């Protein structure tokens, strides 16, 4: 038995549709990747994407409730396609990117929008706006062996049964292969890494008691209630 000074944390896992658990290593996120959402946030949609991260233990699975986080009064939803990496690598060529993908899921990049706005204004990091506890609800992973590589389905989010966000995966400024290629120039990707690939237009605030239901055609769903 190793000489740990306290019990090490449990491995964070995401259930795989059809059986098994995907062990999470790191959570990467794309900053902006749908033109209409870039415009609603006041940015030029031609800007290249950029990356930020969340800790692995921000992931919440199984449709569990998430708490309304402290230090915000503008807590926003962002429905996103999640790419689950099954094979690592650096400097991945676009034509080889699909071979590194284990599967796909629907996820929510929950955001303290007020802290993000302050961080942007003051040139500070986004960590406390994006990488807080329970900030990444994610649905079950659909393996590529079952669904292939869906690239043109609808991506939607309803809050309390009312549609808030709607887009198409085909509207991504940088497609999944391009995202993997770009990210793998900055870090060596590893099995267990997941990538949240940006959100379509329609982001907005939620309050305690709200039920969030995200869906990506051909991939799956993600559900979270704000506790
Ligand atoms: Mn996002």
């Amino acid at each position: 038995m190793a000489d740990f000074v306290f019990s090490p944390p449990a491995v964070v896992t995401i259930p795989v549709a059809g059986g098994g658990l995907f062990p999470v290593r790191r959570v990467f996120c794309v900053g902006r990747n749908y033109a209409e959402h870039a415009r609603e946030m006041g940015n030029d949609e031609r800007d290249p994407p950029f990356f930020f991260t969340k800790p692995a233990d921000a992931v919440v699975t199984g449709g569990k409730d998430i708490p309304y986080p402290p230090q915000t009064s503008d807590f926003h939803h962002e429905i996103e396609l999640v790419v689950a990496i099954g094979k690592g690598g650096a400097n991945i060529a676009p034509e080889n990117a699909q071979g590194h993908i284990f599967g796909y899921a629907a996820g929510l990049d929950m955001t303290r929008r007020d802290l993000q706005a302050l961080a942007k204004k003051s040139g500070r990091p986004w960590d406390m706006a994006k990488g807080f506890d329970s900030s990444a609800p994610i649905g079950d992973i659909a393996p590529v062996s079952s669904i292939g590589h869906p690239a043109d389905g609808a991506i939607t989010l309803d809050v309390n049964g009312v549609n808030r966000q709607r887009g198409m995966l085909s509207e991504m400024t940088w497609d999944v292969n391009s995202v993997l290629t770009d990210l793998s120039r900055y870090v060596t990707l590893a099995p267990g890494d997941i990538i949240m690939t940006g959100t379509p237009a329609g982001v907005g605030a939620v309050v305690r008691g709200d039920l969030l239901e995200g869906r990506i055609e051909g991939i799956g769903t993600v559900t979270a209630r704000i506790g």
Side-chain angles (χ1 to χ4, degrees), residues 98-120:
Q98 287 188 342
H100 293 263
I101 299 171
F102 172 81
Y104 298 90
L108 291 163
D109 168 17
M110 299 304 295
T111 301
R112 289 160 161 158
R113 193 70 74 201
D114 41 4
L115 294 194
Q116 186 193 29
L118 186 62
K120 285 179 177 177

Side-chain angles (χ1 to χ4, degrees), residues 46-62:
R46 290 166 302 179
D47 286 347
F50 57 91
F51 301 97
F52 60 92
T53 63
K54 295 176 187 264
D57 63 7
V59 170
V60 177
T61 61

